[in-house]
Amino acid sequence: MGKVTGFMEYERIDEGYAPVAARLKNYKEFVVGLDDAQAKIQGARCMDCGTPFCNNGCPVNNIIPDFNDLVYRQDWKNAIEVLHSTNNFPEFTGRICPAPCEAACTLNVNDDPVGIKSIEHAIIDHAWENGWVVPRPAKRRTGRKVAVVGAGPAGLAAAQQLARAGHDVTLFEKNDRAGGLLRYGIPDFKLDKSHIDRRVEQMQAEGVVFRTGVAVGAAKDTLGKGSKVTNWAKETVTPEQLQAGFDAVLLTGGAEQSRDLPVPGRDLDGIHFAMEFLPQQNKVNAGDKLKGQIMATGKHVIVIGGGDTGSDCVGTSNRHGAASVVQFELMPRPPEQENRPLTWPYWPIKLRTSSSHEEGCEREFAIATKEFIGEKGKVTGLKTVHVEFKDGKFVDIPGTEKTYQADLVLLAMGFTGPVAPVLDAFGIEKDARGNAKATTDFTGGYATSVPKVFAAGDMRRGQSLVVWAIREGRQAARAVDEFLMGFSDLPR
């Protein structure tokens, strides 16, 4: 694959970024992708390693060595055919996937891995520019009707696969636009929403019917109560209506229940979940008018949570013009470089600095918030202490107490599971974590305890990556197709 000696001759080339000062002025994407010559060199670095661990490192099992080789040979059209055979939306994963495939790259044992993500990004951009991404409607219709609930990456992937199998697919989404967390969660500067819009247009041409602003399984004014879930539904559909009107129902909602921080002072104004803060800016960027938008302008911002969502809060706060941004992480500071002989080919724990961190952010590790403090009902600061993990729990380190100034606190500590009313309304059995209970077995996979109702994505597996959502959507589509037809030609 690639050039036989390429991995010895060429260094890794990373995608570039627009200057910080320029990109902070707007919400546009700022990644500078590889040009054809750079992509060719990256493809040349792919080793003929015999056992391509990158395939298993990738949740959708992208056929990575094959498309690397095709890019090396500059055969872009066949490269997108190979990429699309396993991944419905490489423009999403090529931008926001953390690339576990690169961690699993054989070259990563003792060198920099092949830039697989940047190659994927280049392939799909070439495909759109050259008009190779076109609707692929089914040649025959089955007459079977499928309702897919939740238009995030899992629902989009499942709906597209089922429509291409010839089924009549209706995709229900509680928000006013399709995309789920891709639309209302991930900032525009990481994923421009035009990428979602053109996929929606493609899917509509393939026969998928989109019904946005429709809440399923709960009244629109109660959906997400207590979790601050984004919900702009204007209509409600009951489980009974879906079960009566469709031959199968696939639930692909997200794990939207935000993890809270119940410490003294939590009820002060100025403390918000990340998923209250981020969706509002996305709506404003889309041209919507909002009253009372949560703004970081001129404020001292504390982001609690060191993951991707926290990083997105950092980047958005900097674009608002925050006076300062500090990000807290409960876990200790990880090493700069992983222990490769110990961790390869698995996803390693190491310090990861995002583009948002580089734009301006102080990071604190092994720190816990003990209390929010405020004046006149508004948050003004936090009392913290550094912690260490001992005897199976975090314990405070005496003498490390500190008070931080804060005008805005954003809670980005992850998600505990799906919004309960949806699963409760269907009467679906849950697992120990509150997710929809359904296996991924080859036969009867993704089926819930309720007849002809299936579940996939974060609603089934819990909080996860967009690439896992796409995988589960594709696999669930095959399971539904097999349930309806007795067999399936869809790839699993």
Side-chain angles (χ1 to χ4, degrees):
M1 296 301 170
K3 186 177 182 181
V4 175
T5 56
F7 69 97
M8 297 186 290
E9 298 177 29
Y10 304 120
E11 299 295 325
R12 176 184 170 99
I13 303 173
D14 288 314
E15 294 179 314
Y17 293 153
V20 170
R23 69 193 197 224
L24 283 179
K25 295 178 181 178
N26 56 63
Y27 293 87
K28 297 178 181 178
E29 289 185 7
F30 54 81
V31 172
V32 180
L34 304 183
D35 60 30
D36 287 8
Q38 292 172 326
K40 178 182 174 70
I41 289 174
Q42 279 306 289
R45 296 184 72 234
C46 187
M47 306 167 68
D48 188 8
C49 56
T51 302
F53 288 89
C54 55
N55 285 69
N56 287 332
C58 172
V60 294
N61 302 124
N62 278 336
I63 311 171
I64 294 165
D66 292 46
F67 67 63
N68 282 345
D69 182 60
L70 289 165
V71 169
Y72 167 62
R73 301 176 190 282
Q74 298 290 278
D75 187 352
W76 294 97
K77 191 165 187 179
N78 276 319
I80 188 58
E81 290 298 321
V82 170
L83 182 52
H84 266 155
S85 71
T86 56
N87 185 353
N88 295 67
F89 312 119
E91 62 269 49
F92 302 162
T93 52
R95 286 170 168 80
I96 61 175
C97 180
C101 55
E102 294 186 12
C105 175
T106 302
L107 192 54
N108 192 47
V109 172
N110 62 352
D111 199 352
D112 292 328
V114 175
I116 300 167
K117 179 179 175 180
S118 61
I119 292 174
E120 181 178 1
H121 188 176
I123 292 171
I124 186 59
D125 282 2
H126 264 276
W128 280 108
E129 290 166 6
N130 288 279
W132 298 333
V133 184
V134 296
R136 297 183 179 181
K139 295 179 180 179
R140 299 181 183 85
R141 309 304 302 178
T142 66
R144 304 297 176 87
K145 299 172 65 177
V146 183
V148 179
V149 180
L156 291 170
Q160 184 166 64
Q161 293 294 97
L162 288 165
R164 289 176 174 178
H167 304 304
D168 296 328
V169 181
T170 302
L171 189 49
F172 294 87
E173 168 58 46
K174 70 179 185 301
N175 292 324
D176 53 356
R177 297 178 178 92
L181 198 65
L182 299 172
R183 174 79 65 178
Y184 291 126
I186 295 172
D188 289 22
F189 54 80
K190 289 178 65 175
L191 179 71
D192 190 277
K193 306 317 173 205
S194 63
H195 302 300
I196 306 172
D197 294 337
R198 60 187 179 184
R199 281 296 184 179
V200 169
E201 291 176 4
Q202 180 197 30
M203 292 172 64
Q204 287 173 327
E206 292 171 346
V208 178
V209 175
F210 286 80
R211 291 189 59 186
T212 57
V214 180
V216 174
K220 60 181 181 295
D221 58 345
T222 62
L223 184 62
K225 185 177 181 181
S227 65
K228 305 296 185 181
V229 171
T230 305
N231 176 30
W232 289 289
K234 297 180 180 179
E235 182 183 349
T236 301
V237 173
T238 67
E240 292 76 17
Q241 288 173 306
L242 293 186
Q243 289 167 305
F246 294 87
D247 299 298
V249 178
L250 174 58
L251 305 179
T252 55
E256 298 178 286
Q257 192 77 37
S258 297
R259 181 173 283 108
D260 207 344
L261 185 59
V263 300
R266 172 63 181 87
D267 58 346
L268 291 168
D269 288 342
I271 304 171
H272 303 275
F273 289 115
M275 291 309 295
E276 294 177 80
F277 177 67
L278 296 173
Q280 290 186 353
Q281 187 58 57
N282 287 352
K283 284 188 69 68
V284 171
N285 293 346
D288 295 351
K289 302 295 183 182
L290 287 185
K291 293 182 179 179
Q293 182 187 357
I294 302 167
M295 296 294 295
T297 311
K299 296 179 180 178
H300 297 282
V301 180
I302 302 288
V303 178
I304 301 179
D308 290 339
T309 303
S311 174
D312 293 343
C313 290
V314 170
T316 302
S317 295
N318 282 327
R319 281 162 178 75
H320 282 184
S324 66
V325 182
V326 182
Q327 186 177 23
F328 290 175
E329 170 55 60
L330 182 64
M331 301 298 292
R333 184 185 181 94
E336 296 277 349
Q337 182 64 52
E338 74 270 31
N339 185 339
R340 291 182 179 180
L342 180 65
T343 60
W344 181 88
Y346 300 107
W347 184 249
I349 296 175
K350 67 177 183 179
L351 182 66
R352 302 178 192 278
T353 300
S354 72
S355 58
S356 292
H357 294 142
E358 294 171 350
E359 293 166 359
C361 173
E362 179 184 344
R363 302 170 75 181
E364 292 286 350
F365 294 90
I367 190 170
T369 300
K370 307 299 288 186
E371 181 183 355
F372 297 110
I373 56 178
E375 296 178 3
K376 298 180 180 179
K378 295 184 178 181
V379 68
T380 58
L382 300 83
K383 292 183 178 180
T384 68
V385 66
H386 281 283
V387 295
E388 60 180 341
F389 197 70
K390 184 183 295 185
D391 298 327
K393 62 181 179 180
F394 287 100
V395 296
D396 298 350
I397 301 176
T400 63
E401 296 83 2
K402 183 177 179 179
T403 300
Y404 284 82
Q405 181 181 359
D407 308 305
L408 175 62
V409 179
L410 300 172
L411 305 180
M413 302 175 294
F415 306 89
T416 61
V419 178
V422 178
L423 297 181
D424 292 343
F426 278 90
I428 291 172
E429 183 181 354
K430 303 176 188 176
D431 64 16
R433 299 171 59 196
N435 302 317
K437 188 174 182 179
T439 71
T440 58
D441 295 340
F442 197 89
T443 302
Y446 296 94
T448 69
S449 58
V450 178
K452 76 176 187 179
V453 178
F454 299 76
D458 288 6
M459 182 170 276
R460 190 206 68 84
R461 68 178 287 115
Q463 175 189 352
S464 192
L465 304 175
V466 61
V467 68
W468 272 106
I470 294 172
R471 172 197 173 110
E472 293 224 344
R474 287 171 61 88
Q475 290 189 343
R478 179 186 172 91
V480 172
D481 186 37
E482 192 171 33
F483 166 75
L484 294 173
M485 306 303 294
F487 69 96
S488 179
D489 291 327
L490 290 176
R492 192 175 188 276

